[in-house]
Amino acid sequence: MTDQRRPLRRRRFLQAAGAGVALGAIGGAAEAAARTGKGGGAGRGGADLVLYDGKVLTMDGESAPAEAVAIKDGVVLAVGTTRELRRLTNARTEAVDLHGRTVIPGVNDGHFHPMGLGTGRPPLTLDLGRDAVASIAEIRDLVAEAVRDKAPGEWIRGFGWDQGYLAEGRYPTRHDLDEVSADNPAALREWSAHALWVNSKALEIAGITRDTEPPPGGEIVKDGDGEPTGLLLEGAAGLVDEVMPDFTEEEKRQGLRAAVDIMHRHGITSVTDAGIDLESVRRYDDMLRSGDIRQRCTIMVAASGTDDLRETLLEAGRIGTEPAWLNVNQVKIFADGVPTQARTAWVSEPYIGGGNGGLTLPGGSEEEQLALLNDWVMTAHELGFQVGTHATGDLTANAVVDAYEAAVERFGGAGLRHYVIHGDLTTPADLRRMAALGFPVSFNPQIKRSLSHQLVDILGRERTDYQWPYRTALDLGVSVASSSDAPVVGMPDFRAGLTAALTRKSLETGEVFGAEEVIGLEEALASYTTAGAWQDRAERWKGTLAPGMAADLAVFDGDLADTAPEEIVDLPIAMTVVGGEVVYDAADDTPAATPSSAAAAGGLAAYMDTGCRHD
């Protein structure tokens, strides 16, 4: 075995096997490994890549870590001791001495907005996150600087401001921006994307006045005189979005490449894009096939972005993608807001200060909105699409589970595993129903870590402690996946999510919010790996490092088990591998040159022969 101590050479995928391998092919060595299980029983083929002398957490039910993992043709050939796996090498095998470092299956981030992450950063968008600015005054100065490089009338975009971290301790207004951007419309999106702060020029272009009616679920915040303040909540932000120029096609591709690079640097090998249109699906397909990006992507078609959901889903089914890399099999429904200072999540117990929020679905009444929710769920279920619904308030989650249950009763289960997205305040009673019906939930521990200290005055202490009830959900038998919802929290850093799930400590104050909902390391890791694969209905071929599974993995630069929970957030990612190819290596800290789409061939065909929507 040749010890690879320099930055690992990135191989062109299937360089030895040839680029013309069809999705239906599977390497003989990998097939033998899948039959023989752990150890060296399938050594004749020779591994492409071996990582050895480390701690390999397979997440397949084995209690003790393995020492090494061998990879061939994009799948795991074997796991076992270093001595056993030496027999799987030959002169062409690349080897990495882990020096005791920890390997885990690649992170499956089950709720993400890659385009938003990639285009919501410089140079396309001002960075207004808490690490970049600390006050409204600093944001105003950044806008003033941006104006100097713009012609009059050109838009200025920003993303990431968080009222809870701004020195002024208040929501911003148009007056904070008008003096420095009188001739340039400015649209600055809040960290959660549920609020938009604009200047007077943007209001003027959008035609928003004191008499403008917001769309259902939206709010045009007004001052004491009834004039718009420049803060637009939920759907009201769409009034500005409609008149703001879109990014160019090249900017979108630039953003997607940047997002994939960020994911690789954070150990993410699979991602669910949470709500896009079919034009964006075709962009993904083109970039994957051309080798422009390399990432496994599950696509949620945005129900709210369609004129006719049924026709859109039928058209989506006609797009010929390779499901191991681009799986168009889900529908995203956006049902309510968020239980933050915006108070737009639909809750049964009023917020402190009043109000219960509400649904954000189209419709002139609550009855019409609920009817549309049920219609969308029924349509998606009938056509074999899995549904994920944004539901943060307890009333919304209850209505969503009702809709899912009704669809199953009408059409049968079909194993679609409809799920609740966010599910902040889902009650134990609804979690119990979800467990019985096989409906998972996707929680957001990074947001918990960032936000909890701000919410006691909004939700009260009891609801703030309960929010994202990991322990309760797991104990009731719900499959719980964790996701970043990036760019909502800035970087999609699952290490911060692990720290949050293990401690529930506020990033800002260090206070623990909901000690009774703390979970263990293995459970937290499962939420980012096996549970994410289960949510994707892909647990048969990804999510663990068992023989025959997809060779997607991440390497910590240290021993994860010996790292204190508070310090996991700072444990670096040393390497990321997608489909047997090294896409990130911290030793040289440069993104990998993306291989051709022959990567989709891999050794996964035995697991993908049932099609993309009806397994």
Side-chain angles (χ1 to χ4, degrees), residues 328-360:
V328 189
N329 69 338
Q330 295 189 17
V331 171
K332 164 73 177 295
I333 297 175
F334 187 85
D336 72 348
V338 286
T340 67
Q341 292 91 342
R343 294 175 169 83
T344 51
W346 191 28
V347 295
S348 57
E349 179 186 342
Y351 294 101
I352 293 176
N356 294 80
L359 295 167
T360 55

Side-chain angles (χ1 to χ4, degrees), residues 281-333:
V281 172
R282 294 186 178 96
R283 181 181 302 112
Y284 263 116
D285 193 40
D286 180 68
M287 294 179 73
L288 282 163
R289 291 180 184 277
S290 67
D292 208 7
I293 58 173
R294 179 178 178 78
Q295 187 74 323
R296 301 194 195 278
C297 306
T298 297
I299 300 299
M300 305 187 81
V301 177
S304 58
T306 67
D307 295 325
D308 185 326
L309 180 61
R310 178 177 295 274
E311 182 54 40
T312 298
L313 296 184
L314 290 172
E315 184 179 350
R318 293 190 288 267
I319 299 176
T321 65
E322 294 173 329
W325 295 90
L326 184 62
N327 200 5
V328 189
N329 69 338
Q330 295 189 17
V331 171
K332 164 73 177 295
I333 297 175

Side-chain angles (χ1 to χ4, degrees), residues 8 25 47 69 88 186 202 204 226 234 256 308 315 469 501 514 573 602:
L8 191 65
V69 56
L88 300 179
E204 176 190 332
E234 304 298 348
L256 196 51
D308 185 326
E315 184 179 350
I573 299 298

Side-chain angles (χ1 to χ4, degrees), residues 112-119 255-256 259-260 263 271-274 284 486-487:
F112 201 117
H113 304 278
M115 186 63 72
L117 176 65
T119 59
L256 196 51
V260 170
M263 285 186 256
V271 64
T272 299
D273 194 323
Y284 263 116

Side-chain angles (χ1 to χ4, degrees), residues 128-139 162 165-169:
L128 307 181
R130 61 173 178 265
D131 293 330
V133 297
S135 66
I136 294 171
E138 288 184 12
I139 294 174
D162 184 341
Y165 289 86
L166 298 177
E168 291 83 354

Side-chain angles (χ1 to χ4, degrees), residues 175-233:
H175 305 295
D176 294 309
L177 300 175
D178 285 349
E179 183 179 346
V180 298
S181 59
D183 298 321
N184 292 87
L188 312 180
R189 209 167 299 276
E190 183 234 21
W191 67 274
S192 73
H194 289 261
L196 186 68
W197 166 25
V198 300
N199 64 356
S200 294
K201 189 66 174 178
L203 291 174
E204 176 190 332
I205 293 172
I208 298 173
T209 69
R210 63 185 297 139
D211 300 319
T212 302
E213 286 293 326
E219 181 181 354
I220 300 170
V221 179
K222 297 177 181 179
D223 61 22
D225 296 325
E227 295 294 334
T229 67
L231 195 65
L232 307 171
L233 304 182

